[in-house]
Amino acid sequence: MGDRLTLPSWTTLAKLDDEALPLLSTALLIARDEYPGLDVDLYDTLVQSHVEHLRTEVDAIALWPLKMAAVNRHLFDELGYAGNHDEYYDPRNSYLNEVFERRLGNPISLAMVQMEVARRLGIPLDGVSFPGHFLVRLPVDDGLLVMDPFNGGRPLGVDELRERARPHLGGELPDDRALLQILDPAPHRAILVRMLRNLHGVYADDEQWDRAARSADRILRLMPDQPEALRDRGLAYLHLEHRHGARQDLSRYLQLHPQARDAASIREQLVELSPDRSRMH
């Protein structure tokens, strides 16, 4: 038996260097907010069972792309992990315990499963914060193998990657240098923040302001003073009538980001929230 997986503490995450920030256990920490009884060891053991099933086969293969093909075949074809195309915005797609249980996820949660299994097998798989859908990348002799975890780990060619990036670049096709920049490995912190942003967006759209506030708060535990998260938590607090917290967060947002596109509307909110204003009513 290996060491038991322990969850980090929200109070220490901001101090950790990116390399020291554990991806799987922090993702399970995010899930524990919604599922307080979550059994961490159960999911760690499940990942390890995927790894042990693959180890002999993968160790016997010499080339990285073929090792990765074996991992993808097991995860997506045999075990049935899949992108939830029908209910893309279901919050369960972002909670790893649910992804493990239902074998359904969104691009970033499926990438986390893929990365965790691959890395335990010694395969240097990284995430890519690609615009639109999150992807994964593997270094190969002549460049990079880029794959789409939301669609069974399918490899993506250069032309398709350019086309996928185009709508997010004002309609321009990225040249080789721009595309390589987009395909840089995503730091662990950025991956976890993107997962929490997805959750915030789902909950805000559904007007579940307590969960929206919590998701933004968790981003701030990873990245204190992240401007958009301060704004998002402040606006959620406003809906929850936590006026003091809203005033603090929105003021700090404007202090950090005075030229923000929504600065004028945030200032209007702050006028409404001013103590003098509340006494006038």
Side-chain angles (χ1 to χ4, degrees), residues 23 76 106-117 125-128 134-136 149-150 191:
L23 202 53
F76 299 112
N106 58 23
I108 200 161
S109 61
L110 291 168
M112 282 192 183
V113 175
Q114 207 182 5
M115 288 162 61
E116 189 68 25
V117 171
L125 191 67
D126 280 315
V128 176
F134 197 84
L135 302 173
V136 293
F150 193 62
I191 296 173

Side-chain angles (χ1 to χ4, degrees), residues 78-182:
E78 295 169 12
L79 295 175
Y81 285 97
N84 192 347
H85 292 262
D86 294 334
E87 295 180 293
Y88 188 82
Y89 296 104
D90 187 327
R92 292 177 295 179
N93 296 331
S94 289
Y95 291 122
L96 270 197
N97 59 318
E98 289 281 7
V99 176
F100 285 127
E101 298 282 354
R102 302 167 74 228
R103 305 280 160 97
L104 278 176
N106 58 23
I108 200 161
S109 61
L110 291 168
M112 282 192 183
V113 175
Q114 207 182 5
M115 288 162 61
E116 189 68 25
V117 171
R119 288 172 172 185
R120 291 189 190 192
L121 288 161
I123 302 169
L125 191 67
D126 280 315
V128 176
S129 269
F130 204 80
H133 276 186
F134 197 84
L135 302 173
V136 293
R137 52 166 272 171
L138 181 70
V140 292
D141 289 342
D142 53 350
L144 288 175
L145 173 62
V146 181
M147 291 161 284
D148 179 357
F150 193 62
N151 290 291
R154 183 171 73 81
L156 302 173
V158 171
D159 290 344
E160 184 173 354
L161 287 166
R162 286 194 215 282
E163 283 296 339
R164 283 188 178 208
R166 184 207 287 260
H168 306 277
L169 301 172
E172 296 289 316
L173 281 176
D175 60 19
D176 288 351
R177 181 188 291 182
L179 187 60
L180 271 176
Q181 274 190 320
I182 295 169

Side-chain angles (χ1 to χ4, degrees), residues 1-276:
M1 286 289 290
D3 294 335
R4 289 166 67 87
L5 188 71
T6 54
L7 292 187
S9 159
W10 282 116
T11 56
T12 61
L13 289 176
K15 302 185 189 79
L16 293 179
D17 289 338
D18 197 76
E19 301 74 38
L21 191 62
L23 202 53
L24 177 71
S25 55
T26 308
L28 288 170
L29 184 67
I30 290 168
R32 196 177 64 178
D33 279 338
E34 189 66 19
Y35 303 90
L38 178 147
D39 182 346
V40 180
D41 287 321
L42 176 69
Y43 302 110
D44 183 48
T45 302
L46 182 65
V47 171
Q48 196 57 32
S49 74
H50 298 347
V51 170
E52 295 309 329
H53 180 92
L54 282 158
R55 192 179 297 283
T56 303
E57 180 185 3
V58 167
D59 285 352
I61 298 170
L63 300 174
W64 291 124
L66 297 181
K67 287 177 184 280
M68 201 59 229
V71 172
N72 287 343
R73 189 165 54 248
H74 183 54
L75 290 178
F76 299 112
D77 297 344
E78 295 169 12
L79 295 175
Y81 285 97
N84 192 347
H85 292 262
D86 294 334
E87 295 180 293
Y88 188 82
Y89 296 104
D90 187 327
R92 292 177 295 179
N93 296 331
S94 289
Y95 291 122
L96 270 197
N97 59 318
E98 289 281 7
V99 176
F100 285 127
E101 298 282 354
R102 302 167 74 228
R103 305 280 160 97
L104 278 176
N106 58 23
I108 200 161
S109 61
L110 291 168
M112 282 192 183
V113 175
Q114 207 182 5
M115 288 162 61
E116 189 68 25
V117 171
R119 288 172 172 185
R120 291 189 190 192
L121 288 161
I123 302 169
L125 191 67
D126 280 315
V128 176
S129 269
F130 204 80
H133 276 186
F134 197 84
L135 302 173
V136 293
R137 52 166 272 171
L138 181 70
V140 292
D141 289 342
D142 53 350
L144 288 175
L145 173 62
V146 181
M147 291 161 284
D148 179 357
F150 193 62
N151 290 291
R154 183 171 73 81
L156 302 173
V158 171
D159 290 344
E160 184 173 354
L161 287 166
R162 286 194 215 282
E163 283 296 339
R164 283 188 178 208
R166 184 207 287 260
H168 306 277
L169 301 172
E172 296 289 316
L173 281 176
D175 60 19
D176 288 351
R177 181 188 291 182
L179 187 60
L180 271 176
Q181 274 190 320
I182 295 169
L183 293 171
D184 270 350
H188 285 187
R189 189 170 259 103
I191 296 173
L192 294 159
V193 165
R194 185 161 168 168
M195 173 177 260
L196 285 160
R197 272 197 210 294
N198 287 344
L199 281 167
H200 171 269
V202 167
Y203 288 136
D205 286 348
D206 204 30
E207 298 186 5
Q208 294 189 48
W209 298 114
D210 53 344
R211 288 179 166 93
R214 182 182 72 198
S215 303
D217 177 73
R218 293 324 195 186
I219 293 172
L220 292 164
R221 299 300 185 107
L222 286 160
M223 294 180 71
D225 270 354
Q226 206 284 331
E228 287 76 18
L230 280 165
R231 177 201 61 203
D232 291 345
R233 188 176 68 178
L235 292 173
Y237 281 165
L238 194 57
H239 285 283
L240 293 167
E241 299 187 9
H242 176 20
R243 295 174 64 87
H244 176 69
R247 192 165 62 242
Q248 281 193 315
D249 280 354
L250 297 178
S251 299
R252 183 69 179 144
Y253 170 65
L254 287 179
Q255 195 180 351
L256 293 167
H257 207 357
Q259 304 304 319
R261 281 192 300 186
D262 56 359
S265 69
I266 297 296
R267 284 192 186 95
E268 285 176 25
Q269 302 274 18
L270 280 169
V271 169
E272 290 292 322
L273 284 165
S274 70
D276 294 340

